[in-house]
Amino acid sequence: MTFRSALLPLTLLLAASAQAVTIKHDEGTATLGSVPKRIVAMDEEALGWLAALGVSDRVVGLGSTYFTPADLSGGKLKPDVLKRGFYGRVKLNSPAYIGDWTAPNLETITALKPDLIVRLTWDGNQNYDKLSKVAPTVGFKEGGPGFWQAGLRALAKVFGKQTEAERVIKQVNDTNRANAAKLRQAGVFTKYDKVVVVAPFAGGSTWVYSTVRLIPDLRALGFKDGLNLGKSTLGVGAQISDEALLGLDRKTLVVLFPPGGKYNGADAFLKTPAGQKLRGQSVLYVPEDFSPYSGPLISLRNSTELTRLILEKVK
């Protein structure tokens, strides 16, 4: 054996070690030996982060609670669905449907042979161990300030996209600062110095988001919290009664932010006594079809669209 041939295995071993990346996430750690080429995104939030990093075209499987049988054909999303709403803003190559995040189809996921699975998680979320047996799985917990920024930075390391992650985060911050200045110049905070995000669900339940889901973007625009809810559910917010909403003062802007698709209960809420009373100080902000609740692409849209709606409100 020559010295060169003896050195070759060591060189290959060192090269493989240099490529391996271990990242910490909210469900543990994951080690990847190479840059992922086949990704399963368990939800739209995960898809949004991948899109912000420029790798959404590698998604071979997608989970969602939005889909109906009419949206699917042969286990895949129909081409017209991929052109609608949020999906129309990201690059996708006909991913397979893998079920929703509460009950993913592990057989379908396994057949896709992914080399990375990405999901948002929360207390009580299941299947991490099962998913990890299929492929390295990373989960990021929704909740707390800066959660998507931290998750995006961690995920960027997997793809060598740290510079892109910082660029996107800076873009969000710059957009919020510019829009906050527009609101100040228009005297918005003289009329409304506080804000509350109300999420009316179909069926009659109403939530207030106090930690994530739109409220961080409104804080970044300069609003103070209009309600102190105390403890939140799953780090998101809390269900609220009409009586509590009726107690809001006139300097609190109410942003009605219904969930998407079949879960949207905004029209029914506006017919309730609370909805009728608050109509004069409310703006209705409807998410895109198939929209995530949070993430850099969503924050950019939130900041710009909310600023437009609020400026129209105070004309």
Side-chain angles (χ1 to χ4, degrees):
M1 179 182 292
T2 66
F3 175 76
R4 184 175 180 180
S5 63
L7 187 62
L8 183 58
L10 177 60
T11 302
L12 293 174
L13 178 61
L14 291 174
S17 298
Q19 291 177 354
V21 175
T22 298
I23 65 169
K24 293 182 179 180
H25 56 95
D26 292 327
E27 297 187 277
T29 60
T31 300
L32 295 96
S34 60
V35 178
K37 301 295 185 184
R38 297 180 60 81
I39 308 168
V40 166
M42 299 296 295
D43 43 64
E44 279 84 8
E45 271 74 16
L47 174 63
W49 297 10
L50 293 164
L53 295 174
V55 295
S56 57
D57 57 336
R58 305 182 195 182
V59 172
V60 296
L62 178 61
S64 179
T65 59
Y66 287 133
F67 302 144
T68 67
D71 296 321
L72 306 170
S73 177
K76 289 182 175 290
L77 301 179
K78 290 182 177 178
D80 66 299
V81 174
L82 296 176
K83 297 177 183 177
R84 286 166 45 197
F86 180 71
Y87 294 158
R89 295 204 287 132
V90 304
K91 189 175 181 180
L92 286 170
N93 291 325
S94 190
Y97 176 53
I98 55 88
D100 67 42
W101 34 260
T102 60
N105 189 318
L106 295 170
E107 183 177 343
T108 297
I109 294 172
T110 301
L112 291 171
K113 298 181 180 179
D115 44 23
L116 176 65
I117 300 171
V118 186
R119 71 176 190 169
L120 254 65
T121 190
W122 62 92
D123 294 340
N125 198 7
Q126 300 178 3
N127 297 302
Y128 175 74
D129 292 342
K130 294 177 181 177
L131 291 169
S132 296
K133 291 178 180 178
V134 177
T137 299
V138 295
F140 299 99
K141 187 173 182 179
E142 184 184 25
F147 94 93
W148 70 252
Q149 289 89 339
L152 187 71
R153 287 179 170 125
L155 196 58
K157 295 177 183 177
V158 174
F159 300 96
K161 296 275 190 176
Q162 293 94 323
T163 300
E164 182 64 17
E166 295 305 322
R167 185 196 68 78
V168 173
I169 291 170
K170 182 178 184 300
Q171 183 183 8
V172 172
N173 292 337
D174 290 347
T175 299
N176 282 331
R177 279 193 292 270
N179 285 327
K182 293 178 182 178
L183 295 175
R184 285 195 302 272
Q185 291 167 5
V188 168
F189 302 116
T190 301
K191 186 169 185 178
Y192 300 116
D193 60 341
K194 301 183 292 296
V195 71
V196 60
V197 176
V198 176
F201 282 75
S205 66
T206 305
W207 284 66
V208 168
Y209 295 142
S210 59
T211 306
V212 291
R213 302 187 179 183
L214 197 61
I215 188 66
D217 298 310
L218 285 158
R219 289 171 181 153
L221 289 174
F223 290 97
K224 300 175 183 177
D225 289 359
L227 280 174
N228 183 7
L229 295 179
K231 187 177 180 180
S232 64
T233 300
L234 299 178
V236 173
Q239 194 165 352
I240 193 167
S241 66
D242 282 1
E243 289 75 17
L245 290 174
L246 287 168
L248 292 174
D249 65 53
R250 292 184 177 274
K251 292 198 68 175
T252 298
L253 178 69
V254 178
V255 178
L256 296 178
F257 182 50
K262 60 187 178 182
Y263 305 103
N264 186 333
D267 288 344
F269 173 79
L270 287 169
K271 296 174 183 176
T272 66
Q276 288 289 308
K277 180 188 175 184
L278 297 173
R279 185 184 290 270
Q281 64 197 81
S282 298
V283 294
L284 176 60
Y285 180 56
V286 179
E288 301 171 283
D289 287 345
F290 312 119
S291 177
Y293 275 115
S294 55
L297 302 183
I298 300 307
S299 282
L300 287 170
R301 182 181 190 270
N302 289 348
S303 183
T304 300
E305 286 300 302
L306 282 169
T307 298
R308 180 184 63 81
L309 289 170
I310 293 167
L311 289 175
E312 288 179 357
K313 183 73 178 178
V314 299
K315 277 182 180 179

